[in-house]
């Protein structure tokens, strides 16, 4: 496994739309392994493939117990609303308040190609939205209702 370089805001790759994964090749498995490793190392909550320069619809999210892997994730249901602080590994040192659904259900494939459905609340719901946005070239700063002074955040 390898620690990948996380690209930062300003890099055009972050603004591009990622392509669906048609076949789960060994390269995709290696990408997932490397993204897990990179996420753990950076203490982030989630990481999307475009953040490591790969325009494929692949996301990893750490739910606190394990790292979940999503290939071709699609949000299929949302409920409610929450306003919380978000940050992004590609936008270091910044924080902003984003309005997101309170509960988000996602459909995706795992590394074995099996389709699964999972529902997240609170932080997980935000992570699902934040990470799938990355696959469409959207950053949380595009949606933030307010950007915060980093000194005011913990
Ligand atoms: Zn991000």
């Amino acid at each position: 496994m390898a620690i990948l370089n996380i690209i930062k805001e300003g890099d055009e790759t972050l603004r591009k739309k990622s392509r669906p994964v048609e076949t789960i090749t060994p390269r995709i498995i290696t990408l997932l392994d490397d993204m897990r490793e990179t996420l753990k190392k950076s203490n982030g909550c989630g990481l999307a493939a475009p953040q490591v320069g790969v325009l494929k619809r692949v996301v990893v999210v750490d739910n606190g117990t394990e790292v979940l892997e999503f290939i071709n994730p699609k949000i299929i249901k949302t409920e409610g609303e929450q306003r919380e602080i978000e940050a992004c590994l590609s936008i270091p040192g910044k924080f902003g308040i984003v309005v997101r659904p309170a509960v988000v259900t996602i459909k995706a494939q795992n590394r074995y190609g099996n389709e699964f459905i999972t529902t997240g609340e609170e932080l997980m719901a935000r992570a699902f939205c934040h990470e799938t946005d990355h696959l469409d070239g959207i950053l949380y700063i595009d949606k933030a209702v307010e950007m915060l002074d980093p000194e005011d955040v913990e």
Side-chain angles (χ1 to χ4, degrees), residues 4-7 11 13-14 31 48-56:
L4 305 171
N5 181 44
I6 298 177
I7 60 175
D11 189 313
T13 306
L14 287 176
L31 174 66
Q51 292 182 275
V52 294
V54 179
L55 288 169
K56 294 271 186 194

Side-chain angles (χ1 to χ4, degrees), residues 27-51:
R27 277 180 76 169
I28 296 292
I29 302 297
T30 302
L31 174 66
L32 281 165
D33 288 341
D34 291 347
M35 284 174 67
R36 295 174 78 97
E37 196 73 1
T38 306
L39 179 63
K40 277 189 211 156
K41 201 83 180 173
S42 53
N43 284 318
C45 171
L47 187 66
Q51 292 182 275

Side-chain angles (χ1 to χ4, degrees), residues 14 46-48 51 86-91 130-131 134 138-140:
L14 287 176
L47 187 66
Q51 292 182 275
E86 280 183 35
C88 179
L89 293 171
S90 292
I91 313 171
H130 180 122
E131 300 310 331
H134 271 300
I138 299 165
L139 301 176
Y140 85 88

Side-chain angles (χ1 to χ4, degrees), residues 106-126:
I106 217 167
K107 183 164 97 174
Q109 280 166 277
N110 64 17
R111 60 166 66 204
Y112 309 106
N114 300 317
E115 206 169 78
F116 66 96
I117 290 175
T118 187
T119 298
E121 295 176 24
E122 300 175 5
L123 175 62
M124 280 304 101
R126 294 205 300 281

